[in-house]
Structure formats: C-alpha cells, structure tokens
Amino acid sequence: MQPFVVVLFGATGDLSRRKLLPGLMRLHQAGLLPECRIIGTSLEEMDREGFEQVAREACEEFGKPGKGGASAVTTDLWASFGPLLGYVPTSHGPHALATAVKEAEDALGGGDIGRLHYLSVPPKAARDVIHELDEAGLVENSRVIMEKPFGTDLESAKRLNAEVHEVFDEEQVFRIDHFLGKEAAQNILAFRFANGLFEPIWNRNFIDHVQIDVPETLGLEGRTKFYESTGAYRDMVVTHLMQVLAFMAMEPPTSLTPTPISDEKLKVFRSMRPIQPSDVVRGQYGGYRGKEVVADDSDTETFIALKVEIDNWRWAGVPFFLRTGKKLAEGARIISIAFKEPPLTMFPAGSNAGTAGPDHLTFDLADQSKMSLSFYGKRPGPGMKLEKLSMQFATHETSGSDAVLEAYERLILDAMRGDHTLFTTANGIEALWEKSEMLLNDPPPVRHYQPGSWGPNAIHQLIAPRAWRLPFERAWRTSPELGD
C-alpha cells in the first residue's frame, strides 16, 4: 500500500479523541499503516506540540489497553507515533493546510502518495470542508470519508451528493457506517454465503421474521441541539439499521467485492415497500423536553420502532422489525432471526414443545461479536420433556481474536485501500430517503416512555402476535458450559 497523508478535520472533537486518533495509533502499532503523516485541523488554536499532547491524552484514555490492563500508550510506541502528527488551525485557511500537506508529502519522499481526508465534522460543515479541499488543491489522488447523517430527506441528500460530486468523483467518496465495520457484521456475509447449511433456508419459506434491535442506555448529553433537528430515525435507522438489514437480506453477490455488494444492497433498498406511518412507533423519554434547546412541545423522537417489508421473491411476507432509542433498559446490538415453527401436534401435552418461542439465530454486533443458535432438545430422563438449548460462538474464543480490528480502524484501512465494500453509496442513501418520504411527511405523534424502560407500550402491538427478542430470557454463556 502506498504512503498516505491523513487530514483529520475536527481533530480535537469527541469522535476524533474517542475513536480516530486511538484507531490510527493502533493501526500504526500493528504495522498496518503504511508510511504515513497525520495532520489535524480544527477550530482550536494550538501548535503541533499542543495537538500531540491532546492526541496522547486521547490515546491513553480511549486506546485499547495492553495485557494486564496496561496503558495503551508505551514510551516506545509514542516515540514512533507522536512525530507523525501535525496540526493546522482552521482559521489559517486552505492554503496553510495545503502547505502542511505538501511538507508532509515531502517528508515521505514525494512520488505516489495518497491523501485521505476524514471529515469528523457536523453535516453542515462538511460542505464547507469539501470546498476548502477544492480551494487548497487537495482533491487529486485523494479519498474523503464522510460521517452521517447524509442529508435529512431525499431532497437534501440529493443536494448534498450533488455538491460533493462537484468536487469529488463518487469512487473517491466513502460514506462511513461504523456498524458495518464490526467483525460481527462481516461475519453475516461469511455465515450466509460460505455455509451450505444456512443459505438454502435464508428465505420466506423458513424464516418467520427478523429483528434488528439497537437499544442504548445513554441519553443525549451534549447532543441535544443536534438531535432536535435529526431524531432517532434520521440518526440511526437510515444510516445504521437499514445498512445492517441490507447485509441480512441481499441476494448473493457475484463476488465479495465492492461493486457487486453495493449493487445487491441497492436492490434491497429499491425492493422495500414505502414505510407506512401506521407501521412506526415513535417515542420520547420523560425529561427530554424543557431543556434550553428543546421546546416544551418538541415532537422529536428519541426512540423509534418500525416494521419494514421487502417486496421481492426471497422476502415477501417476512417482516423486519427495527428498534432503537435512548435511555432504554439495556445497551445492545442484536440481530435475531426467528425460524418458522414446525407442526407440533405429535408432542404430548406438557412436553413444553413451542412454549419457549421459535428457534432463533442471533448475532450480537457488540465489540466482542457472538452468535447463538437456539433450538429445542429433549431433557434427559423419562418421558418427552423438551427444553430450549443453544450452540454459541464468540470471537474472543478463537485463536485470531487478537487480530480483531475495531470498526473505525478497519474502515480507515479499507478507505486507504480504496475498498468500498463496507461503505454506503449515493444511490443507496437516496433510495432509502425515497422510501422514507411518507413517514417523514406524516410522522405519527411521539409517545412518552420512562427512562430505563424498553420504550412505549405500543411496540408490543406493532410486533404482535410475535414478541420482542430483547430482553433475553437466557444470557450469553460466560463459561465453557452451554447455556443460551
């Protein structure tokens, strides 16, 4: 891989401190970063040494700890990583940034050097950064990573894509969704397409419904103003949950390369029925209103649950239930596939057949990715008594667990390599906004829910006669013994 100059916009912000700077350091530590220079730029007035100190503190606080809980930052590691950092305050203008990039390229020996611009900035600021890069002459031989949300409706998404395409070609643009960078999300592709056991049953004939459930325990500390103009649907569903849904539902691509995968995801989005307001439950946690930036009659949702239907040959009649929200009872990232139940009339009364719900295949998208397959088996002893059993797998139990990259680390590396597989496209984003127009134009009213609950009670009517998979009746195992 060629040498790179990484320009990190919003370099002193929360995302940069929590994920990007520690992630770049870990890539450097793992030997996966080519010869590289990193230039931070933000509104903060500081010199290079000041930024290096900010970066070191961020890496010490948020970097992945070493063995025995040791600090992520050793003296030797920082001696090699710290000097790679540079800084240009935004106020110095595009030409100062261009000069810093040129100096970094010269330090790398010149020649064929790539440029990666990471826009860790609010959506409104992204437009200004795009034009700043154009003015600075930093578009050639470069790639740009953009953070969500990508517009707030179809019109704004088209407008934003048009502005970006005035400066960058589509193949230069990487719209990031960190959910797809997780090991477990990619495991879905391996699980589906590498196993003759599961691909034949991955359709409406065998699957009853699918749940994609991403509850969060956190509130909106520091993000309330942003959320007032966005809400849970725009913030989470279009940009995260729908992308995971596409991995679950897409047809087998001709190869696991960017263009075929993007084509199949786009087919899923175009096959979706328009989202009906009657298939959506919007919620708002108690205590959200009344803050300085929130009106007393705010209709912004901090919770949303919805039913999505895909009108194609594979999935017709199989509902996909999506749920996410703030200040809920647990934090989790679960995909749960419920299989259709066989006829159970042969089992005697009292056998427990079917009493614990259908068989499930569950993917946990948390950092330590897990999978579980639950099923009925006979309880040892006389008579025909059934109980729910499970087979489980966790990444940390494998020999290669030390090689697992966090989502942002993987996606930064993929962007450097020019690999669009785990990124979203302009056509895909616009297709999702088009399917969302009925909901956005006529949203159902928000229903209040108590912090620490699972959302408004109406979610049970939405999924009836089925039931939500979370909260789990059984826990993930913590020891070698099985126990769902």
Side-chain angles (χ1 to χ4, degrees):
M1 191 161 57
Q2 67 187 135
F4 262 88
V5 174
V6 178
V7 182
L8 188 54
F9 290 87
T12 59
D14 188 63
L15 176 62
S16 178
R17 292 178 61 253
R18 287 178 176 271
K19 296 295 184 181
L20 306 184
L21 288 167
L24 287 165
M25 183 189 71
R26 184 156 185 256
L27 289 173
H28 169 76
Q29 181 184 21
L32 296 172
L33 212 57
E35 291 184 77
C36 182
R37 294 293 186 276
I38 301 161
I39 299 172
T41 180
S42 73
L43 298 174
E44 301 288 336
E45 293 289 335
M46 65 177 71
D47 56 15
R48 198 209 74 82
E49 289 73 22
F51 177 60
E52 182 177 343
Q53 182 61 33
V54 168
R56 179 161 189 168
E57 290 172 359
C59 290
E60 287 176 342
E61 183 175 359
F62 299 111
K64 186 176 180 180
K67 292 182 179 180
S71 171
V73 182
T74 64
T75 302
D76 289 344
L77 174 57
W78 198 258
S80 64
F81 182 71
L84 305 182
L85 301 173
Y87 187 79
V88 179
T90 304
S91 61
H92 289 197
H95 298 297
L97 180 61
T99 299
V101 171
K102 179 65 168 59
E103 291 174 352
E105 290 174 344
D106 290 343
L108 290 170
D112 184 22
I113 296 175
R115 298 163 178 168
L116 180 66
H117 308 301
Y118 198 118
L119 275 57
S120 178
V121 297
K124 291 181 180 178
R127 293 182 171 88
D128 295 334
V129 172
I130 292 292
H131 294 295
E132 180 183 350
L133 289 169
D134 190 22
E135 186 178 347
L138 297 176
V139 174
E140 186 180 355
N141 201 29
S142 70
R143 293 160 185 154
V144 57
I145 297 179
M146 298 186 66
E147 281 284 339
K148 54 95 174 174
F150 314 108
T152 56
D153 54 23
L154 180 58
E155 182 181 350
S156 62
K158 286 183 172 179
R159 190 165 57 245
L160 175 59
N161 284 328
E163 277 196 66
V164 171
H165 291 155
E166 287 177 6
V167 178
F168 290 95
D169 295 331
E170 177 64 17
E171 58 265 26
Q172 293 179 279
V173 182
F174 293 76
R175 297 169 187 82
I176 197 166
D177 172 17
H178 70 271
F179 271 47
L180 295 189
K182 293 180 177 295
E183 195 76 22
Q186 296 163 73
N187 225 340
I188 295 170
L189 297 180
F191 200 84
R192 282 192 60 186
F193 301 129
N195 294 296
L197 177 63
F198 289 101
E199 179 53 27
I201 63 171
W202 211 267
N203 57 59
R204 58 188 169 86
N205 295 321
F206 298 94
I207 292 177
D208 179 79
H209 71 279
V210 178
Q211 296 181 33
I212 302 175
D213 213 348
V214 186
E216 298 180 88
T217 57
L218 297 175
L220 290 165
E221 294 76 8
R223 299 183 68 226
T224 308
K225 184 176 181 180
F226 161 77
Y227 224 75
E228 262 298 276
S229 60
T230 306
Y233 185 80
R234 291 178 170 92
D235 184 47
M236 288 291 293
V237 176
V238 173
T239 51
H240 292 322
L241 275 65
M242 291 293 195
Q243 305 302 326
V244 173
L245 181 151
F247 265 29
M248 291 293 305
M250 71 182 187
E251 295 297 318
T254 54
S255 65
L256 291 179
T257 52
T259 300
I261 287 178
S262 294
D263 289 346
E264 295 304 334
K265 287 173 60 182
L266 182 57
K267 290 178 185 177
V268 173
F269 298 147
R270 288 176 172 169
S271 298
M272 285 170 45
R273 292 184 180 180
I275 296 169
Q276 304 291 327
S278 57
D279 289 335
V280 177
V281 175
R282 297 168 69 237
Q284 186 184 91
Y285 64 75
Y288 175 80
R289 294 178 181 176
K291 296 185 170 70
E292 279 187 28
V293 295
V294 180
D296 290 341
D297 59 350
S298 171
D299 193 51
T300 300
E301 80 276 0
T302 61
F303 169 96
I304 191 159
L306 63 153
K307 180 173 73 172
V308 176
E309 295 182 277
I310 301 173
D311 205 4
N312 63 17
W313 189 261
R314 181 182 293 264
W315 294 113
V318 178
F320 287 71
F321 296 100
L322 281 54
R323 176 173 64 170
T324 186
K326 303 293 184 182
K327 289 199 173 182
L328 296 177
E330 294 179 20
R333 296 167 182 174
I334 296 293
I335 303 169
S336 190
I337 300 163
F339 293 99
K340 290 184 176 179
E341 295 186 81
L344 299 172
T345 52
M346 70 182 72
F347 290 95
S351 67
N352 296 328
T355 57
D359 300 339
H360 282 89
L361 175 63
T362 304
F363 294 87
D364 185 343
L365 300 188
D367 292 332
Q368 283 292 352
S369 62
K370 303 171 186 175
M371 290 186 293
S372 172
L373 178 62
S374 68
F375 52 90
Y376 287 94
K378 182 183 178 298
R379 183 182 298 166
M384 180 58 73
K385 284 281 189 178
L386 305 185
E387 61 183 344
K388 209 66 180 289
L389 306 172
S390 75
M391 293 186 291
Q392 297 188 11
F393 160 83
T395 300
H396 69 267
E397 297 173 344
T398 68
S399 59
S401 60
D402 290 342
V404 173
L405 295 176
E406 291 191 357
Y408 282 99
E409 296 165 3
R410 177 182 300 277
L411 293 171
I412 289 171
L413 191 61
D414 283 354
M416 287 182 171
R417 292 171 171 167
D419 186 345
H420 279 87
T421 303
L422 302 176
F423 295 86
T424 58
T425 65
N427 287 339
I429 289 295
E430 290 177 13
L432 285 173
W433 285 124
E434 183 178 0
K435 299 298 183 180
S436 305
E437 281 192 299
M438 291 180 65
L439 172 62
L440 297 178
N441 291 336
D442 186 25
V446 294
R447 302 167 184 257
H448 293 284
Y449 64 95
Q450 289 299 315
S453 69
W454 284 101
N457 288 332
I459 61 172
H460 302 297
Q461 286 76 51
L462 175 69
I463 201 171
R466 305 168 180 93
W468 289 100
R469 181 75 164 140
L470 285 176
F472 278 136
E473 295 175 0
R474 295 169 300 280
W476 293 99
R477 74 177 182 210
T478 56
S479 64
E481 287 82 24
L482 288 177
D484 187 56

